[in-house]
Amino acid sequence: MHDPLILAGKSYTSRLLVGTGKYQSLEETKAAIEASGAEIITVAVRRMQIAGKGKTISNHLPPERYTYLPNSAGCYSAEEAVRTLRLAREAGGWTLVKLEVIGNAETLYPDTGETLKATKLLVKEGFSVMAYTNDDPVACKKLEDAGCVAVMPLAASIGSGLGIQNPRNIELIVAQSSVPVLVDAGVGTASDASIAMELGCDGVLMNTAIAEAKFPVLMAEAMKLAVEAGRKAYLAGRMAKRETAAASSPKSGIIA
């Protein structure tokens, strides 16, 4: 089945995007990402040394193999986020970026107003913006209208592992969107990823769920399979739910 994920005009086989933080070592990071089958990896511009000599992300996960998705994690204003992503473009020529503007240091929920403001500035400068936001259909529509190439509503709070808290909101966002919708933040285990895909999402982005698992490489493989299964289930079209039982065997031709 040929069912690629299209982002900013580029085709990807995997619908699982993974982060590169929180692992015990770069060797573990590499092993987990390889097991996940991901082709797009996120890197926090302000927190990690992406390139250079010695132990760097690029030495373990070559940019020739992976699409790097710089993000503005840790930014609390539109100006700060835009400045951070400009640095990413200068450092590696990256223009496909994940925009993240946090509104509260305790809850880590996005500031939708600042996110929209930053989106408009970045799009104007030629960036392809994938915007992390709340699971709010109104906010997602505004971001799409502002020029985002993808919207990324949260499933739950960053790093919480609580899974999808508002599945109906995700369904509404999927139904109204003409750009890819990727669930980002809050996934805790493989069933959460599968549910996101069954709701019609185009992909899932995660980090903590894999990096903080007891066996990260095994969890990465589980997430890969879950995303694939959820996508196939969505495309297959689930059976209608019924209030009463329905026999599986045919009623005709029964031997008396």
PDB file of all heavy atoms in Angstrom, residues 180-198:
ATOM      1  N   PRO A 180      -1.714  18.422   6.991  1.00  0.00           N
ATOM      2  CA  PRO A 180      -1.566  17.289   7.904  1.00  0.00           C
ATOM      3  C   PRO A 180      -1.763  17.670   9.369  1.00  0.00           C
ATOM      4  O   PRO A 180      -1.380  18.758   9.801  1.00  0.00           O
ATOM      5  CB  PRO A 180      -0.122  16.835   7.650  1.00  0.00           C
ATOM      6  CG  PRO A 180       0.154  17.250   6.251  1.00  0.00           C
ATOM      7  CD  PRO A 180      -0.560  18.553   6.084  1.00  0.00           C
ATOM      8  N   VAL A 181      -2.373  16.759  10.112  1.00  0.00           N
ATOM      9  CA  VAL A 181      -2.585  16.914  11.553  1.00  0.00           C
ATOM     10  C   VAL A 181      -1.771  15.830  12.252  1.00  0.00           C
ATOM     11  O   VAL A 181      -1.932  14.641  11.977  1.00  0.00           O
ATOM     12  CB  VAL A 181      -4.070  16.759  11.922  1.00  0.00           C
ATOM     13  CG1 VAL A 181      -4.255  16.829  13.439  1.00  0.00           C
ATOM     14  CG2 VAL A 181      -4.911  17.831  11.231  1.00  0.00           C
ATOM     15  N   LEU A 182      -0.869  16.245  13.136  1.00  0.00           N
ATOM     16  CA  LEU A 182      -0.036  15.303  13.868  1.00  0.00           C
ATOM     17  C   LEU A 182      -0.213  15.524  15.356  1.00  0.00           C
ATOM     18  O   LEU A 182      -0.037  16.644  15.840  1.00  0.00           O
ATOM     19  CB  LEU A 182       1.441  15.470  13.500  1.00  0.00           C
ATOM     20  CG  LEU A 182       1.821  15.175  12.049  1.00  0.00           C
ATOM     21  CD1 LEU A 182       1.728  16.442  11.198  1.00  0.00           C
ATOM     22  CD2 LEU A 182       3.221  14.600  11.967  1.00  0.00           C
ATOM     23  N   VAL A 183      -0.571  14.482  16.077  1.00  0.00           N
ATOM     24  CA  VAL A 183      -0.671  14.596  17.530  1.00  0.00           C
ATOM     25  C   VAL A 183       0.731  14.718  18.104  1.00  0.00           C
ATOM     26  O   VAL A 183       1.632  13.963  17.745  1.00  0.00           O
ATOM     27  CB  VAL A 183      -1.412  13.384  18.130  1.00  0.00           C
ATOM     28  CG1 VAL A 183      -1.014  13.163  19.584  1.00  0.00           C
ATOM     29  CG2 VAL A 183      -2.918  13.604  18.060  1.00  0.00           C
ATOM     30  N   ASP A 184       0.901  15.670  18.991  1.00  0.00           N
ATOM     31  CA  ASP A 184       2.211  15.953  19.563  1.00  0.00           C
ATOM     32  C   ASP A 184       2.050  16.188  21.057  1.00  0.00           C
ATOM     33  O   ASP A 184       1.250  17.023  21.468  1.00  0.00           O
ATOM     34  CB  ASP A 184       2.807  17.194  18.879  1.00  0.00           C
ATOM     35  CG  ASP A 184       4.184  17.564  19.405  1.00  0.00           C
ATOM     36  OD1 ASP A 184       4.789  16.743  20.100  1.00  0.00           O
ATOM     37  OD2 ASP A 184       4.639  18.679  19.109  1.00  0.00           O
ATOM     38  N   ALA A 185       2.793  15.455  21.861  1.00  0.00           N
ATOM     39  CA  ALA A 185       2.828  15.600  23.324  1.00  0.00           C
ATOM     40  C   ALA A 185       1.717  14.804  23.999  1.00  0.00           C
ATOM     41  O   ALA A 185       0.570  14.815  23.573  1.00  0.00           O
ATOM     42  CB  ALA A 185       2.742  17.053  23.761  1.00  0.00           C
ATOM     43  N   GLY A 186       2.094  14.093  25.061  1.00  0.00           N
ATOM     44  CA  GLY A 186       1.127  13.390  25.895  1.00  0.00           C
ATOM     45  C   GLY A 186       0.981  11.914  25.617  1.00  0.00           C
ATOM     46  O   GLY A 186       0.339  11.196  26.386  1.00  0.00           O
ATOM     47  N   VAL A 187       1.557  11.422  24.516  1.00  0.00           N
ATOM     48  CA  VAL A 187       1.481   9.990  24.224  1.00  0.00           C
ATOM     49  C   VAL A 187       2.325   9.239  25.253  1.00  0.00           C
ATOM     50  O   VAL A 187       3.442   9.636  25.568  1.00  0.00           O
ATOM     51  CB  VAL A 187       1.990   9.703  22.798  1.00  0.00           C
ATOM     52  CG1 VAL A 187       2.185   8.217  22.574  1.00  0.00           C
ATOM     53  CG2 VAL A 187       1.020  10.269  21.771  1.00  0.00           C
ATOM     54  N   GLY A 188       1.761   8.132  25.789  1.00  0.00           N
ATOM     55  CA  GLY A 188       2.481   7.398  26.817  1.00  0.00           C
ATOM     56  C   GLY A 188       2.864   5.995  26.430  1.00  0.00           C
ATOM     57  O   GLY A 188       3.885   5.473  26.867  1.00  0.00           O
ATOM     58  N   THR A 189       2.035   5.380  25.586  1.00  0.00           N
ATOM     59  CA  THR A 189       2.314   4.007  25.188  1.00  0.00           C
ATOM     60  C   THR A 189       1.750   3.751  23.794  1.00  0.00           C
ATOM     61  O   THR A 189       1.125   4.628  23.195  1.00  0.00           O
ATOM     62  CB  THR A 189       1.736   3.005  26.212  1.00  0.00           C
ATOM     63  OG1 THR A 189       2.223   1.683  25.930  1.00  0.00           O
ATOM     64  CG2 THR A 189       0.219   3.007  26.217  1.00  0.00           C
ATOM     65  N   ALA A 190       1.961   2.540  23.293  1.00  0.00           N
ATOM     66  CA  ALA A 190       1.624   2.249  21.904  1.00  0.00           C
ATOM     67  C   ALA A 190       0.145   2.426  21.595  1.00  0.00           C
ATOM     68  O   ALA A 190      -0.219   2.900  20.521  1.00  0.00           O
ATOM     69  CB  ALA A 190       2.062   0.824  21.564  1.00  0.00           C
ATOM     70  N   SER A 191      -0.733   2.072  22.530  1.00  0.00           N
ATOM     71  CA  SER A 191      -2.166   2.208  22.271  1.00  0.00           C
ATOM     72  C   SER A 191      -2.563   3.663  22.064  1.00  0.00           C
ATOM     73  O   SER A 191      -3.467   3.964  21.284  1.00  0.00           O
ATOM     74  CB  SER A 191      -2.978   1.587  23.408  1.00  0.00           C
ATOM     75  OG  SER A 191      -2.650   2.179  24.652  1.00  0.00           O
ATOM     76  N   ASP A 192      -1.892   4.595  22.735  1.00  0.00           N
ATOM     77  CA  ASP A 192      -2.177   6.024  22.539  1.00  0.00           C
ATOM     78  C   ASP A 192      -1.858   6.441  21.106  1.00  0.00           C
ATOM     79  O   ASP A 192      -2.613   7.190  20.480  1.00  0.00           O
ATOM     80  CB  ASP A 192      -1.338   6.876  23.504  1.00  0.00           C
ATOM     81  CG  ASP A 192      -1.624   6.597  24.965  1.00  0.00           C
ATOM     82  OD1 ASP A 192      -2.758   6.194  25.277  1.00  0.00           O
ATOM     83  OD2 ASP A 192      -0.706   6.774  25.786  1.00  0.00           O
ATOM     84  N   ALA A 193      -0.739   5.961  20.601  1.00  0.00           N
ATOM     85  CA  ALA A 193      -0.341   6.284  19.227  1.00  0.00           C
ATOM     86  C   ALA A 193      -1.326   5.694  18.232  1.00  0.00           C
ATOM     87  O   ALA A 193      -1.707   6.338  17.249  1.00  0.00           O
ATOM     88  CB  ALA A 193       1.066   5.768  18.952  1.00  0.00           C
ATOM     89  N   SER A 194      -1.747   4.478  18.486  1.00  0.00           N
ATOM     90  CA  SER A 194      -2.700   3.828  17.594  1.00  0.00           C
ATOM     91  C   SER A 194      -4.031   4.556  17.577  1.00  0.00           C
ATOM     92  O   SER A 194      -4.631   4.764  16.519  1.00  0.00           O
ATOM     93  CB  SER A 194      -2.901   2.373  18.025  1.00  0.00           C
ATOM     94  OG  SER A 194      -3.683   1.677  17.085  1.00  0.00           O
ATOM     95  N   ILE A 195      -4.498   4.985  18.742  1.00  0.00           N
ATOM     96  CA  ILE A 195      -5.761   5.733  18.823  1.00  0.00           C
ATOM     97  C   ILE A 195      -5.671   7.030  18.035  1.00  0.00           C
ATOM     98  O   ILE A 195      -6.597   7.398  17.309  1.00  0.00           O
ATOM     99  CB  ILE A 195      -6.135   6.006  20.296  1.00  0.00           C
ATOM    100  CG1 ILE A 195      -6.563   4.706  20.978  1.00  0.00           C
ATOM    101  CG2 ILE A 195      -7.253   7.047  20.392  1.00  0.00           C
ATOM    102  CD1 ILE A 195      -6.714   4.812  22.473  1.00  0.00           C
ATOM    103  N   ALA A 196      -4.556   7.728  18.167  1.00  0.00           N
ATOM    104  CA  ALA A 196      -4.380   8.980  17.416  1.00  0.00           C
ATOM    105  C   ALA A 196      -4.524   8.737  15.921  1.00  0.00           C
ATOM    106  O   ALA A 196      -5.185   9.500  15.209  1.00  0.00           O
ATOM    107  CB  ALA A 196      -3.015   9.592  17.725  1.00  0.00           C
ATOM    108  N   MET A 197      -3.933   7.669  15.446  1.00  0.00           N
ATOM    109  CA  MET A 197      -4.006   7.358  14.027  1.00  0.00           C
ATOM    110  C   MET A 197      -5.414   6.893  13.627  1.00  0.00           C
ATOM    111  O   MET A 197      -5.905   7.214  12.543  1.00  0.00           O
ATOM    112  CB  MET A 197      -2.980   6.289  13.667  1.00  0.00           C
ATOM    113  CG  MET A 197      -1.526   6.685  13.928  1.00  0.00           C
ATOM    114  SD  MET A 197      -1.038   8.234  13.111  1.00  0.00           S
ATOM    115  CE  MET A 197      -1.148   7.752  11.389  1.00  0.00           C
ATOM    116  N   GLU A 198      -6.079   6.157  14.493  1.00  0.00           N
ATOM    117  CA  GLU A 198      -7.442   5.707  14.210  1.00  0.00           C
ATOM    118  C   GLU A 198      -8.418   6.880  14.154  1.00  0.00           C
ATOM    119  O   GLU A 198      -9.452   6.797  13.480  1.00  0.00           O
ATOM    120  CB  GLU A 198      -7.893   4.698  15.261  1.00  0.00           C
ATOM    121  CG  GLU A 198      -7.189   3.348  15.141  1.00  0.00           C
ATOM    122  CD  GLU A 198      -7.562   2.395  16.263  1.00  0.00           C
ATOM    123  OE1 GLU A 198      -8.566   2.650  16.970  1.00  0.00           O
ATOM    124  OE2 GLU A 198      -6.856   1.393  16.445  1.00  0.00           O
TER     125      GLU A 198
END
